[in-house]
Structure formats: structure tokens, C-alpha cells
Amino acid sequence: MSTSTSKETWLVTGSSQGLGYYIVLHALKAGHKVLAGTRNPSKSTPEIETVKKAGGIWIELDVSATDLEARLEPILGEHGPVDVLVNNAGYAYGGAVEDTPIDLAHLIFATNLFGPARLIKALLPSMRTRRHGTILNITSSEALTPIMGTAYYSASKAALDNLSAALALEVADFGIRVLSALPGGMRTEFLAGALESGTVPLSEPYQTGSMGKMLGAMSGMVASGQWGGHFRGDPEKVAGRLVEWVDGMGVLGGIGWMGGKLPLTGEAGVAVERKIAELVEMKEKLGGVWGEVDLLAEG
């Protein structure tokens, strides 16, 4: 476990805005060396300049690139081994499952699941040899309670959450922690950007039903500029809690790792409560049924 006085090297993907940007700033404030990954670090934005002034190091990193591993090699050669990997980069697109092209679904999974998996595979050997490291995967409360209209996004985040849980068991013997954050909606431009870039056109059967109404309302809020106030989650506060969680400091330092999962924001709390209620109902209705299909014990 790191402490407030131990300087570690962090690599954070999707750092140019939103949650990733604030994770970078909080990690820098905590005294860490931070490699901030983005697709275009040469682009001049207030966020990029702020991170530079705070001592962050921008690196060009596209987690969906076919040559991701080759791009990572010189970065590690220059900046040394990574102690904390934060898989934050994400991609979302709206539309019905039936209407969404499989190529687009592949791109969502390439960014949200296989990109993180490839980075994990590239960094694990060093962490394992040093018997030290933390992997923090940013999943979503949609991993617990998926919503219509973003099914592939929800599915990719659920897959990343489950990968995190299984991987944590695999690497625990090597002193490596694997954590999964499940934030709810935050006041960032992430989903608004996805909706602005377009949703998959709904086929006629979906246009007048629940899907059409929901996507229409979401797109209308983005167009009118109201989307920013739709969510109550504060990305800067979420980022601060996540850095505390990794460092074992602050409020979360006293609570512990909680099985490696951390829901954050009120919306995530609601998702947890709904999931618990769903599982309790399942147990009540099926508790006397599920064991009936087992083979009888011999003897």
C-alpha cells in the first residue's frame, strides 16, 4: 500500500478531460509522478496546460490502437516502471442493440475492455517481478444496473468489472491490488460528447416506444445545453476519493478495500440498492429451486 509520503508512478488513460483529468491533478497533489495519457497531447487546451504546470507528463496513448503495446514500450523505457495503472479511457454510443452495427460494438469493447486488458497484460510482468502495483479500473454503475440505449457500453463496463474481480484473485499472491470503481453519472462532457457525435438511428419499431422517447429526451437535453446539470456527481470529488482509495488515506483509507469495489455518487448508491433488492428477490423466489438440478450425492 502506498502512503502520502511515498512517491509512485501513475499512468492514467483518458486524462484530457472529466474524471481522468481530475484523477491526474489529485495524484499530482498527493506527490506522485503522473503520466497522463491522451490521444492528442500536443493539442493546446486549458486542461493540458494545467496538468503541465502541476508537473504532469503528457503521453500520447490511444488504448484502442492496434499498436498499443509498441507505443507503450518507449514510454516505459523513458519514465520507468508504472506503480499505479488507472484505466479510465472510455467510449459510449447510443442506440438499440438490434440497430447497432457489430463493428461499432467492437469499437466500444476495444476501448472499454480490451484496451484496459492490453495495458494490464503489458504492465503486469513488471508489477509481478517487483511484487508491487495497483490497477484501478474505472467501470460504471451501469455494470450493476444497465440501461437501455447504451447496452454495449453497459456490457463492456460489466465485463471490465468482472475481469477486475477475477484478476484480483489471480495476482493477489504477487502483492498486486486490482480495484474497480463504479461511478454513477457525473457532470462531465463524456456522454454528451457521445450523443453529439451521433446515436445509431432507431429503426421504426423502436421510434415511438420507450427507446425513442428516452434517446429523444437525452439528445434534446444535450442540444439545449441542459445535460451538464442532469447529473449530480462531482468528477473532482470522485477523483479525490479514488486517489485516497489507492493511497489508503482519508475517509476511504479507514474503511479499507471493500472487496475491491467502490461505487461513488448518489446514482451509484441507488444502483447498489437496486441490485441488492434484485438478488434478494431472486433468492426468495428461487432459493428452493436452484439446487434441485444438481446430481444427487453418492453414498
Side-chain angles (χ1 to χ4, degrees):
M1 180 190 304
S2 57
T3 68
S4 59
T5 58
S6 62
K7 182 177 181 180
E8 297 192 309
T9 298
W10 288 47
L11 192 162
V12 184
T13 67
S15 300
S16 61
Q17 61 181 346
L19 180 61
Y21 167 69
Y22 288 116
I23 291 174
V24 167
L25 292 183
H26 276 278
L28 287 169
K29 186 177 179 181
H32 300 298
K33 174 182 177 179
V34 182
L35 309 179
T38 184
R39 292 183 177 184
N40 187 8
S42 62
K43 185 178 180 181
S44 180
T45 66
E47 290 83 2
I48 285 179
E49 295 306 316
T50 298
V51 168
K52 285 181 179 178
K53 290 179 181 178
I57 302 168
W58 283 104
I59 58 173
E60 183 177 351
L61 198 63
D62 179 357
V63 301
S64 63
T66 57
D67 60 346
L68 172 61
E69 292 81 0
R71 295 186 185 190
L72 186 62
E73 193 171 327
I75 294 171
L76 298 178
E78 180 178 356
H79 299 289
V82 170
D83 301 298
V84 179
L85 167 64
V86 182
N87 280 311
N88 171 73
Y91 181 60
Y93 210 92
V97 170
E98 183 179 350
D99 296 330
T100 302
I102 289 299
D103 286 348
L104 179 54
H106 282 175
L107 179 57
I108 294 170
F109 270 78
T111 302
N112 297 350
L113 176 63
F114 295 116
R118 292 166 67 192
L119 284 174
I120 289 169
K121 283 173 64 66
L123 297 181
L124 265 181
S126 171
M127 290 183 175
R128 180 167 41 75
T129 299
R130 292 179 290 124
R131 303 188 70 82
H132 174 79
T134 299
I135 297 165
L136 171 59
N137 292 322
I138 309 298
T139 65
S140 168
S141 62
E142 287 191 34
L144 299 173
T145 54
I147 62 174
M148 62 179 176
T150 57
Y152 283 110
Y153 174 79
S154 298
S156 67
K157 289 299 187 178
L160 182 59
D161 181 50
N162 280 308
L163 182 145
S164 303
L167 178 62
L169 299 174
E170 294 179 10
V171 300
D173 289 344
F174 306 116
I176 301 169
R177 294 178 298 151
V178 183
L179 310 175
S180 178
L182 298 92
M186 294 172 284
R187 293 193 181 184
T188 71
E189 297 302 312
F190 173 67
L191 189 53
L195 292 171
E196 285 176 348
S197 66
T199 60
V200 177
L202 290 177
S203 54
E204 190 278 331
Y206 294 100
Q207 291 174 5
T208 57
S210 301
M211 274 285 295
K213 292 177 182 178
M214 189 193 71
L215 286 179
M218 291 168 64
S219 297
M221 291 175 68
V222 171
S224 64
Q226 298 176 355
W227 185 261
H230 179 65
F231 296 115
R232 297 183 62 183
D234 184 335
E236 184 172 6
K237 290 180 179 178
V238 171
R241 287 289 185 242
L242 292 176
V243 173
E244 287 179 356
W245 195 32
V246 172
D247 281 350
M249 305 297 293
V251 174
L252 292 175
I255 293 175
W257 309 121
M258 297 164 292
K261 294 181 185 289
L262 180 61
L264 284 172
T265 76
E267 181 182 356
V270 171
V272 169
E273 291 171 350
R274 288 178 179 172
K275 191 66 177 180
I276 291 172
E278 175 187 321
L279 293 174
V280 168
E281 182 182 11
M282 183 186 300
K283 179 182 177 182
E284 290 174 349
K285 291 183 177 180
L286 300 176
V289 176
W290 49 42
E292 293 181 357
V293 297
D294 290 348
L295 293 171
L296 295 178
E298 297 180 4

